[in-house]
Amino acid sequence: MKSVGHSIRKIDGMAIATGKPVYTEDLAMDNALVVKILRSPHAYAKIRSIDLSKAESLEGVECILTYKDVPNVRFTLAGQSYPEPSPYDRLILDQIVRYVGDEVAIIAAVDEKTAQLAMKRIKVEYEVMEPVLDFEQAIGHSSIVHPEEDLSCNFEIGLNKEKNIASSYHEEVGDVEEELKRCAVVVEDVYYPQAQAHTMMETYRAFSYLDHTGRLIVVSSTQVPFHIRRQLARALQIPASKIRVIKPRIGGGFGGKQTGAGDVFAALVTLKTGKPALIIYDRKETFTCTTSRHAMRLRVKLGADQDGIIRAIDMQVLSDTGAYGEHAPTVLGCVGHYTLPLYNKTRAVRFDGHAVYTNKMPAGAFRGYGATQGTFALESIVNKLAERLKLDPTEIRLKNISKVGETFLTGQGVMLGSTSLDQCIVRGKELIGWDEKFPRREVGPNKVRAVGMAITMQGSGIANIGTASAEIRLNDDGNFTLLTGATDMGTGCDTILSQMAAEILEIPMEIIIVNAGDTDTSPYDPGSYASSTTYVAGTAVVKAAEELKSKILAQSAAFLGVSREDVELNGLAVRTLSGDQEISFAKLAELTILGTGKLQLVGYATHGSEVSPPPYVAGFAEVEVDRETGKVDLIDYVAVIDCGTVINPNLARIQAEGGIAQGIGMALYEQVRYDELGKMATNTFMQYKIPTRKDVGKVRIEFEVSYEPTGPFGAKSIGEVVANTPPPAISHAIYNAVGVRENHLPITPEKVFLGMQK
Amino acid sequence: MQIELTINEKAVKWEVAFDELLADTLRSHGFLSIKTACDTSCCGLCTVWIDGKSRLSCSILSLQAHGKKITTIEGLPKEAEEFAQILSAEGAEQCGFCSPGFIMSVLAMKNELVNPSEEEIIHYLTGNLCRCTGYMGQLRAIKTFLGVA
Ligand code: FES
Ligand code: FES
């Protein structure tokens, strides 16, 4: 293959690396109004009165909007395909504020200073209510986070607002209780993954203006332009046809930008004033007023027979969705969907979960989407089982994992199309030096080194829901335009999708123009999330390219006066098999598009998959623990990945290294703390530590290629699965080092130290 | 207030407010490579050179730049391009938002350290955060760029 499988540089790489003005703020008009948000200082309160008089009279203040000025229609900020599973539980501004940081007023002024000054002059009287802060106390709490009558859902998601339950999910196959009784060994434990922050470097931002026809244009740093358009239409009560959402280059997303933030405020200002408006969340707002990973409590019980064959899995999950239910039902469901199929020798599995409302910052989508939390719990308990049975942790996995052609209990008969997870485990073991290093070695008077491991899976797209469309045109001068709604967020999909188109059309990538992420011009795509771009949008591109290819061949054959079977592609031309006649793409374009042609050749496809094939990772950690201080140094992390065919090895490697680093942060550093009144204390990079380049040790990635029959060129996804193994693998390594099983993430030196004292 | 400074080899006189930060002044004059990602001097995205040394433009008042020589990535097209080529061949400019500040630090390091070890490289660049790449690809690119193993 000429394009696919090669480490081709990203088509926007040089521009973004050298600081060219291609991000949202760079494109905003200089005269855009500055939009700022007055936020609630209370975790739970009702607004009694708002006095704007002193603020509105300031020169340079354009408008100040409160709950009285917004449409009375509840919506969700979750970027999901319609009908969204997330509850419609928020207004643009509400009279009830539900967490410290919830929006109270929107201020638009000619500059930042004026907006800030106006904000200070707004007087709000609150009736403060008792907040629900501990998610384990949410069900049955005397305060109800969402008492409103007009909250609604598109589906039965098990919402019970009187009990602060945003969503419930139950799934059961076989009789778990019975099966557990029959098991020779049963292990159980409770795990608490934290509300990790995405901390993408470009904070949330959007700017909006009205175009020459009076339509609302929103340029947004988002992963989901089409969903943002639909969300704005509902929230602002204007037709979607009056809105265009454009995604420029964006400075990281990690799922955070699958949830709206700020777009609706800027858009409302533009609608009210007719003027361009720019909103930029500062870092503190990004930490405290957007979304995070769902903090969870996972109780897991695992039963196995004497040989270590896992026969029963029982998972009870409590998920903290915070003040609003963005992604609450789906993240909850994914905890089970992306863990239970890993081990398919089970005879019974049960999943029972609730996502609860609390008066804290909402949770949302974050790379891994429930799989990360579920993997931490399941893999930790499997490590515990291995120890109980005195089996090597790698061996117990090899005995239990699913093979090609097999099904799993909750999988409704879907067969596994591809896996090289067994090879990933074997290869990872070699790379880390498992046999020499497991479980621990003393390396100094107070220092001990140990290894730990975990495996994981994710999906590739959302089966039967996620669809993507793509269009490829042969242009008038013989080059091509690829139109896609996929949203490159640095991950390189604009490049990867053109690699695929180039491969099918047998053309160099340089003659493909990519136009993406604009709701006016792009064919529909849900956006970049759910690990779907390569797999779903990629297949749409392949199909569109194939359609165009066959049109090119047919049309060329007609022009050459031969039959369709007698021609083939040849460079930038089509020639007869005998080689005696040829027509260049440029000529073909001229004959079809210009003058008498009247038939521009276009390939178009919409693709959705009936399956969501899992990519896999086997992750291995080596840590060094200081017995005196509890300090943990990550020495080495090995991840061996099965993402099917690797379309662009370098880009896949960076995805993997970056995902692993985020997992390392979750395992060791990224602590979220609230004070007793519900204010988040970890709201800057001083308090909330993401890994620096000193903190990640050495991360090594390898690929064990498999071939996924339903994927483009055999590819599966990679973006999310890579985030999942570090918490359980590192936690396992720490346990092997010093015998401390710390189930509350992150595993800080204090916790290890205290654990060692027990 | 008016300040006089040299920006990318060009002498300029700029009107600035007493409390204005250099990062904001630079952006408002069209140097849009300047990115900021924190309010606590933690991320390194806003890195520029002041008199040849890499500095955080978010942590310096524009007034303090009076009489100084400021260099942004726009002023180093050749060097920046050379390293960016290597960085992007590695795929290590993921979202790219951290890249301009990171490149300014790398180029400063190249001027300051002779044949740095891996440890010295990591130490020098610790103040440049990146949430996308996990840093390994950046390190590979630096090693290629400096010709060190
Ligand atoms: S903006 Fe973060 S250090 Fe300057
Ligand atoms: S490439 Fe995105 S933050 Fe570094």
mmCIF file with all atom_site columns, all heavy atoms in Angstrom, chain A residues 521-535:
data_model
loop_
_atom_site.group_PDB
_atom_site.id
_atom_site.type_symbol
_atom_site.label_atom_id
_atom_site.label_alt_id
_atom_site.label_comp_id
_atom_site.label_asym_id
_atom_site.label_entity_id
_atom_site.label_seq_id
_atom_site.pdbx_PDB_ins_code
_atom_site.Cartn_x
_atom_site.Cartn_y
_atom_site.Cartn_z
_atom_site.occupancy
_atom_site.B_iso_or_equiv
_atom_site.pdbx_formal_charge
_atom_site.auth_seq_id
_atom_site.auth_comp_id
_atom_site.auth_asym_id
_atom_site.auth_atom_id
_atom_site.pdbx_PDB_model_num
ATOM 1   N N   . THR A 1 521 ? -21.029 22.774 5.032  1.00 0.00 ? 521 THR A N   1
ATOM 2   C CA  . THR A 1 521 ? -20.451 22.126 3.861  1.00 0.00 ? 521 THR A CA  1
ATOM 3   C C   . THR A 1 521 ? -20.160 20.649 4.053  1.00 0.00 ? 521 THR A C   1
ATOM 4   O O   . THR A 1 521 ? -20.067 19.905 3.089  1.00 0.00 ? 521 THR A O   1
ATOM 5   C CB  . THR A 1 521 ? -19.135 22.814 3.456  1.00 0.00 ? 521 THR A CB  1
ATOM 6   O OG1 . THR A 1 521 ? -18.246 22.789 4.579  1.00 0.00 ? 521 THR A OG1 1
ATOM 7   C CG2 . THR A 1 521 ? -19.368 24.249 3.034  1.00 0.00 ? 521 THR A CG2 1
ATOM 8   N N   . SER A 1 522 ? -19.980 20.216 5.297  1.00 0.00 ? 522 SER A N   1
ATOM 9   C CA  . SER A 1 522 ? -19.617 18.815 5.525  1.00 0.00 ? 522 SER A CA  1
ATOM 10  C C   . SER A 1 522 ? -20.842 17.925 5.473  1.00 0.00 ? 522 SER A C   1
ATOM 11  O O   . SER A 1 522 ? -21.901 18.307 5.956  1.00 0.00 ? 522 SER A O   1
ATOM 12  C CB  . SER A 1 522 ? -18.996 18.636 6.909  1.00 0.00 ? 522 SER A CB  1
ATOM 13  O OG  . SER A 1 522 ? -17.919 19.502 7.091  1.00 0.00 ? 522 SER A OG  1
ATOM 14  N N   . PRO A 1 523 ? -20.670 16.720 4.923  1.00 0.00 ? 523 PRO A N   1
ATOM 15  C CA  . PRO A 1 523 ? -21.736 15.735 5.117  1.00 0.00 ? 523 PRO A CA  1
ATOM 16  C C   . PRO A 1 523 ? -21.812 15.394 6.608  1.00 0.00 ? 523 PRO A C   1
ATOM 17  O O   . PRO A 1 523 ? -20.842 15.602 7.331  1.00 0.00 ? 523 PRO A O   1
ATOM 18  C CB  . PRO A 1 523 ? -21.271 14.534 4.298  1.00 0.00 ? 523 PRO A CB  1
ATOM 19  C CG  . PRO A 1 523 ? -19.898 14.810 3.839  1.00 0.00 ? 523 PRO A CG  1
ATOM 20  C CD  . PRO A 1 523 ? -19.518 16.197 4.199  1.00 0.00 ? 523 PRO A CD  1
ATOM 21  N N   . TYR A 1 524 ? -22.927 14.876 7.055  1.00 0.00 ? 524 TYR A N   1
ATOM 22  C CA  . TYR A 1 524 ? -23.125 14.653 8.486  1.00 0.00 ? 524 TYR A CA  1
ATOM 23  C C   . TYR A 1 524 ? -22.114 13.670 9.070  1.00 0.00 ? 524 TYR A C   1
ATOM 24  O O   . TYR A 1 524 ? -21.790 12.630 8.482  1.00 0.00 ? 524 TYR A O   1
ATOM 25  C CB  . TYR A 1 524 ? -24.537 14.111 8.755  1.00 0.00 ? 524 TYR A CB  1
ATOM 26  C CG  . TYR A 1 524 ? -24.737 13.783 10.217 1.00 0.00 ? 524 TYR A CG  1
ATOM 27  C CD1 . TYR A 1 524 ? -25.025 14.802 11.127 1.00 0.00 ? 524 TYR A CD1 1
ATOM 28  C CD2 . TYR A 1 524 ? -24.586 12.487 10.699 1.00 0.00 ? 524 TYR A CD2 1
ATOM 29  C CE1 . TYR A 1 524 ? -25.177 14.525 12.480 1.00 0.00 ? 524 TYR A CE1 1
ATOM 30  C CE2 . TYR A 1 524 ? -24.735 12.205 12.050 1.00 0.00 ? 524 TYR A CE2 1
ATOM 31  C CZ  . TYR A 1 524 ? -25.022 13.222 12.930 1.00 0.00 ? 524 TYR A CZ  1
ATOM 32  O OH  . TYR A 1 524 ? -25.155 12.943 14.273 1.00 0.00 ? 524 TYR A OH  1
ATOM 33  N N   . ASP A 1 525 ? -21.634 14.024 10.226 1.00 0.00 ? 525 ASP A N   1
ATOM 34  C CA  . ASP A 1 525 ? -20.793 13.127 11.018 1.00 0.00 ? 525 ASP A CA  1
ATOM 35  C C   . ASP A 1 525 ? -21.063 13.483 12.464 1.00 0.00 ? 525 ASP A C   1
ATOM 36  O O   . ASP A 1 525 ? -21.161 14.660 12.798 1.00 0.00 ? 525 ASP A O   1
ATOM 37  C CB  . ASP A 1 525 ? -19.310 13.358 10.688 1.00 0.00 ? 525 ASP A CB  1
ATOM 38  C CG  . ASP A 1 525 ? -18.401 12.302 11.295 1.00 0.00 ? 525 ASP A CG  1
ATOM 39  O OD1 . ASP A 1 525 ? -18.244 12.271 12.528 1.00 0.00 ? 525 ASP A OD1 1
ATOM 40  O OD2 . ASP A 1 525 ? -17.825 11.514 10.517 1.00 0.00 ? 525 ASP A OD2 1
ATOM 41  N N   . PRO A 1 526 ? -21.218 12.481 13.332 1.00 0.00 ? 526 PRO A N   1
ATOM 42  C CA  . PRO A 1 526 ? -21.513 12.843 14.726 1.00 0.00 ? 526 PRO A CA  1
ATOM 43  C C   . PRO A 1 526 ? -20.358 13.592 15.383 1.00 0.00 ? 526 PRO A C   1
ATOM 44  O O   . PRO A 1 526 ? -20.572 14.340 16.339 1.00 0.00 ? 526 PRO A O   1
ATOM 45  C CB  . PRO A 1 526 ? -21.766 11.497 15.406 1.00 0.00 ? 526 PRO A CB  1
ATOM 46  C CG  . PRO A 1 526 ? -21.242 10.456 14.482 1.00 0.00 ? 526 PRO A CG  1
ATOM 47  C CD  . PRO A 1 526 ? -21.243 11.037 13.113 1.00 0.00 ? 526 PRO A CD  1
ATOM 48  N N   . GLY A 1 527 ? -19.154 13.389 14.889 1.00 0.00 ? 527 GLY A N   1
ATOM 49  C CA  . GLY A 1 527 ? -18.008 14.065 15.484 1.00 0.00 ? 527 GLY A CA  1
ATOM 50  C C   . GLY A 1 527 ? -16.990 13.055 15.947 1.00 0.00 ? 527 GLY A C   1
ATOM 51  O O   . GLY A 1 527 ? -17.176 11.851 15.810 1.00 0.00 ? 527 GLY A O   1
ATOM 52  N N   . SER A 1 528 ? -15.902 13.570 16.486 1.00 0.00 ? 528 SER A N   1
ATOM 53  C CA  . SER A 1 528 ? -14.838 12.663 16.892 1.00 0.00 ? 528 SER A CA  1
ATOM 54  C C   . SER A 1 528 ? -15.014 12.281 18.343 1.00 0.00 ? 528 SER A C   1
ATOM 55  O O   . SER A 1 528 ? -14.646 13.032 19.241 1.00 0.00 ? 528 SER A O   1
ATOM 56  C CB  . SER A 1 528 ? -13.476 13.315 16.647 1.00 0.00 ? 528 SER A CB  1
ATOM 57  O OG  . SER A 1 528 ? -13.184 13.246 15.282 1.00 0.00 ? 528 SER A OG  1
ATOM 58  N N   . TYR A 1 529 ? -15.616 11.143 18.554 1.00 0.00 ? 529 TYR A N   1
ATOM 59  C CA  . TYR A 1 529 ? -15.750 10.566 19.892 1.00 0.00 ? 529 TYR A CA  1
ATOM 60  C C   . TYR A 1 529 ? -16.131 9.118  19.722 1.00 0.00 ? 529 TYR A C   1
ATOM 61  O O   . TYR A 1 529 ? -16.337 8.658  18.590 1.00 0.00 ? 529 TYR A O   1
ATOM 62  C CB  . TYR A 1 529 ? -16.783 11.335 20.721 1.00 0.00 ? 529 TYR A CB  1
ATOM 63  C CG  . TYR A 1 529 ? -18.208 11.288 20.207 1.00 0.00 ? 529 TYR A CG  1
ATOM 64  C CD1 . TYR A 1 529 ? -19.082 10.288 20.614 1.00 0.00 ? 529 TYR A CD1 1
ATOM 65  C CD2 . TYR A 1 529 ? -18.678 12.243 19.320 1.00 0.00 ? 529 TYR A CD2 1
ATOM 66  C CE1 . TYR A 1 529 ? -20.387 10.246 20.152 1.00 0.00 ? 529 TYR A CE1 1
ATOM 67  C CE2 . TYR A 1 529 ? -19.985 12.202 18.852 1.00 0.00 ? 529 TYR A CE2 1
ATOM 68  C CZ  . TYR A 1 529 ? -20.830 11.198 19.268 1.00 0.00 ? 529 TYR A CZ  1
ATOM 69  O OH  . TYR A 1 529 ? -22.123 11.151 18.814 1.00 0.00 ? 529 TYR A OH  1
ATOM 70  N N   . ALA A 1 530 ? -16.214 8.416  20.840 1.00 0.00 ? 530 ALA A N   1
ATOM 71  C CA  . ALA A 1 530 ? -16.568 6.996  20.812 1.00 0.00 ? 530 ALA A CA  1
ATOM 72  C C   . ALA A 1 530 ? -15.626 6.199  19.909 1.00 0.00 ? 530 ALA A C   1
ATOM 73  O O   . ALA A 1 530 ? -16.030 5.206  19.314 1.00 0.00 ? 530 ALA A O   1
ATOM 74  C CB  . ALA A 1 530 ? -18.022 6.799  20.390 1.00 0.00 ? 530 ALA A CB  1
ATOM 75  N N   . SER A 1 531 ? -14.400 6.656  19.796 1.00 0.00 ? 531 SER A N   1
ATOM 76  C CA  . SER A 1 531 ? -13.414 5.907  19.020 1.00 0.00 ? 531 SER A CA  1
ATOM 77  C C   . SER A 1 531 ? -13.938 5.536  17.646 1.00 0.00 ? 531 SER A C   1
ATOM 78  O O   . SER A 1 531 ? -13.825 4.408  17.200 1.00 0.00 ? 531 SER A O   1
ATOM 79  C CB  . SER A 1 531 ? -13.011 4.628  19.782 1.00 0.00 ? 531 SER A CB  1
ATOM 80  O OG  . SER A 1 531 ? -12.257 4.945  20.904 1.00 0.00 ? 531 SER A OG  1
ATOM 81  N N   . SER A 1 532 ? -14.578 6.498  16.987 1.00 0.00 ? 532 SER A N   1
ATOM 82  C CA  . SER A 1 532 ? -15.277 6.131  15.765 1.00 0.00 ? 532 SER A CA  1
ATOM 83  C C   . SER A 1 532 ? -14.669 6.668  14.485 1.00 0.00 ? 532 SER A C   1
ATOM 84  O O   . SER A 1 532 ? -15.049 6.218  13.407 1.00 0.00 ? 532 SER A O   1
ATOM 85  C CB  . SER A 1 532 ? -16.737 6.592  15.864 1.00 0.00 ? 532 SER A CB  1
ATOM 86  O OG  . SER A 1 532 ? -16.801 7.917  16.305 1.00 0.00 ? 532 SER A OG  1
ATOM 87  N N   . THR A 1 533 ? -13.745 7.613  14.553 1.00 0.00 ? 533 THR A N   1
ATOM 88  C CA  . THR A 1 533 ? -13.366 8.291  13.328 1.00 0.00 ? 533 THR A CA  1
ATOM 89  C C   . THR A 1 533 ? -12.693 7.360  12.326 1.00 0.00 ? 533 THR A C   1
ATOM 90  O O   . THR A 1 533 ? -13.134 7.240  11.185 1.00 0.00 ? 533 THR A O   1
ATOM 91  C CB  . THR A 1 533 ? -12.499 9.515  13.631 1.00 0.00 ? 533 THR A CB  1
ATOM 92  O OG1 . THR A 1 533 ? -13.233 10.359 14.513 1.00 0.00 ? 533 THR A OG1 1
ATOM 93  C CG2 . THR A 1 533 ? -12.188 10.278 12.370 1.00 0.00 ? 533 THR A CG2 1
ATOM 94  N N   . THR A 1 534 ? -11.640 6.687  12.731 1.00 0.00 ? 534 THR A N   1
ATOM 95  C CA  . THR A 1 534 ? -10.940 5.813  11.798 1.00 0.00 ? 534 THR A CA  1
ATOM 96  C C   . THR A 1 534 ? -11.872 4.707  11.310 1.00 0.00 ? 534 THR A C   1
ATOM 97  O O   . THR A 1 534 ? -11.955 4.416  10.119 1.00 0.00 ? 534 THR A O   1
ATOM 98  C CB  . THR A 1 534 ? -9.699  5.195  12.462 1.00 0.00 ? 534 THR A CB  1
ATOM 99  O OG1 . THR A 1 534 ? -8.811  6.257  12.808 1.00 0.00 ? 534 THR A OG1 1
ATOM 100 C CG2 . THR A 1 534 ? -8.996  4.222  11.537 1.00 0.00 ? 534 THR A CG2 1
ATOM 101 N N   . TYR A 1 535 ? -12.604 4.136  12.245 1.00 0.00 ? 535 TYR A N   1
ATOM 102 C CA  . TYR A 1 535 ? -13.404 2.955  11.922 1.00 0.00 ? 535 TYR A CA  1
ATOM 103 C C   . TYR A 1 535 ? -14.677 3.306  11.147 1.00 0.00 ? 535 TYR A C   1
ATOM 104 O O   . TYR A 1 535 ? -14.933 2.741  10.086 1.00 0.00 ? 535 TYR A O   1
ATOM 105 C CB  . TYR A 1 535 ? -13.745 2.210  13.221 1.00 0.00 ? 535 TYR A CB  1
ATOM 106 C CG  . TYR A 1 535 ? -14.584 0.977  13.012 1.00 0.00 ? 535 TYR A CG  1
ATOM 107 C CD1 . TYR A 1 535 ? -14.026 -0.185 12.479 1.00 0.00 ? 535 TYR A CD1 1
ATOM 108 C CD2 . TYR A 1 535 ? -15.929 0.975  13.347 1.00 0.00 ? 535 TYR A CD2 1
ATOM 109 C CE1 . TYR A 1 535 ? -14.804 -1.324 12.293 1.00 0.00 ? 535 TYR A CE1 1
ATOM 110 C CE2 . TYR A 1 535 ? -16.710 -0.157 13.166 1.00 0.00 ? 535 TYR A CE2 1
ATOM 111 C CZ  . TYR A 1 535 ? -16.143 -1.307 12.629 1.00 0.00 ? 535 TYR A CZ  1
ATOM 112 O OH  . TYR A 1 535 ? -16.916 -2.423 12.443 1.00 0.00 ? 535 TYR A OH  1
#
